Amino acid sequence: FKAESLLSVEGVDVLYGKAQALRGVSIHVHEGEFVSVVGLNGAGKTTLFNAVSNLVPHAGTIRFGGQDLATLSPAAIARAGIVQVPETRELFGDLSVLENLDLGGHHLPKAEAAKEREKLYDLFPILKAREGQSARTLSGGEQQMLTIARALMMRPRLLILDEPTLSLAPVILEQLSKALERLRQTTPITVLLGEQNVTFALPHADRVYVLEQAKIVWEGPPDRFATEMGAAYL
Ligand code: ATP
């Protein structure tokens, strides 16, 4: 008996004109799992996540909680519980940290949103310290944490993180890594992470996929990655 996956991507193809960005890609994410998709620049990670959110036309089948997503709009998919944190941090620069967070929690009753916010301040203490500051004045790393925290305010069933480490300094990377670790210890959450930074992606992952030139070329637990894929990636 194999429980049905929360997210199931089956044989997905994406074409940009003549260029094939995904070729028969299948991945599965079970409830509570942390799954990393590792791939170099241009391998197709962002395209895969955009297919999941129905932001790019694709062939194949994508199911979430048993429901076929083919006919759902990106907004409906977000309401169904898939919250994507894009590579480009889409914060409201003129709004404060607190206001950005509350936008993420706008669907919650006020008291619930406040409780959720406090939980996120525990997870990312720097955001509490910057609460009244406008988002545009935050450092790159702080903005990344705010983007993730705002996504968590939506209480996603599946959180998709697209290269959160992009252009972050090592010390910030470390903070982000610790926050993800604490998140996993304190909250039952399902995460799909796309990364080219393998040293960041592996420690958090229950399972790893490797995406190379539009295809999944490897799948396995992180401890097998080093011996089987390490030569190319570590
Ligand atoms: P990155 O880390 O650079 O975001 P990625 O693994 O997320 O890489 P994708 O952004 O999915 O890769 O891109 C996969 C391939 O598709 C690349 O060759 C890219 O140039 C191409 N591509 C992406 N978006 C488009 C588009 N809108 N039109 C044409 N080609 C595109």
Side-chain angles (χ1 to χ4, degrees):
F1 171 81
K2 187 164 174 273
E4 197 185 352
S5 315
L6 179 62
L7 177 74
S8 130
V9 173
E10 287 284 353
V12 165
D13 292 325
V14 172
L15 284 169
Y16 293 120
K18 280 189 193 142
Q20 187 143 12
L22 293 180
R23 224 177 259 274
V25 166
S26 299
I27 69 162
H28 297 270
V29 182
H30 294 100
E31 190 114 50
E33 238 188 342
F34 193 119
V35 171
S36 291
V37 176
V38 166
L40 301 177
N41 237 324
K45 303 179 299 293
T46 302
T47 301
L48 171 61
F49 301 150
N50 285 343
V52 168
S53 292
N54 227 344
L55 290 162
V56 290
H58 54 273
T61 310
I62 302 180
R63 298 170 71 80
F64 182 66
Q67 183 183 19
D68 192 331
L69 299 183
T71 60
L72 297 192
S73 67
I77 290 172
R79 280 196 300 276
I82 299 183
V83 173
Q84 196 173 331
V85 178
E87 243 169 350
T88 50
R89 300 152 200 157
E90 282 156 18
L91 295 169
F92 296 92
D94 292 331
L95 299 187
S96 69
V97 166
L98 181 125
E99 288 165 333
N100 269 281
L101 286 176
D102 282 353
L103 280 174
H106 72 273
H107 64 292
L108 300 172
K110 256 201 156 75
E112 281 289 293
K115 224 164 73 189
E116 201 64 37
R117 210 194 310 122
E118 287 310 313
K119 270 209 285 197
L120 290 166
Y121 283 157
D122 282 345
L123 208 55
F124 301 104
I126 192 69
L127 296 182
K128 173 80 180 166
R130 303 269 184 273
E131 188 173 50
Q133 227 168 289
S134 64
R136 78 168 76 262
T137 65
L138 300 180
S139 74
E142 290 163 357
Q143 287 185 13
Q144 186 56 267
M145 291 186 208
L146 178 55
T147 313
I148 294 173
R150 188 183 55 182
L152 288 169
M153 285 288 290
M154 299 180 210
R155 293 190 174 159
R157 273 185 86 190
L158 173 66
L159 178 70
I160 299 183
L161 298 174
D162 192 359
E163 276 193 65
T165 68
L166 206 67
S167 70
L168 294 187
V171 53
I172 305 294
L173 234 145
E174 187 66 21
Q175 287 172 16
L176 189 60
S177 195
K178 289 210 171 102
L180 279 186
E181 204 176 293
R182 280 200 306 277
L183 174 68
R184 286 216 76 194
Q185 286 161 355
T186 54
T187 317
I189 185 157
T190 310
V191 180
L192 178 58
L193 168 71
E195 261 304 333
Q196 45 180 315
N197 183 337
V198 172
T199 36
F200 180 85
L202 290 191
H204 300 292
D206 298 310
R207 236 150 28 77
V208 180
Y209 290 96
V210 176
L211 189 59
E212 272 178 16
Q213 293 173 24
K215 283 192 261 189
I216 297 288
V217 297
W218 189 86
E219 179 202 343
D223 58 350
R224 265 188 21 226
F225 183 94
T227 46
E228 294 177 24
M229 296 302 284
Y233 285 89
L234 291 171

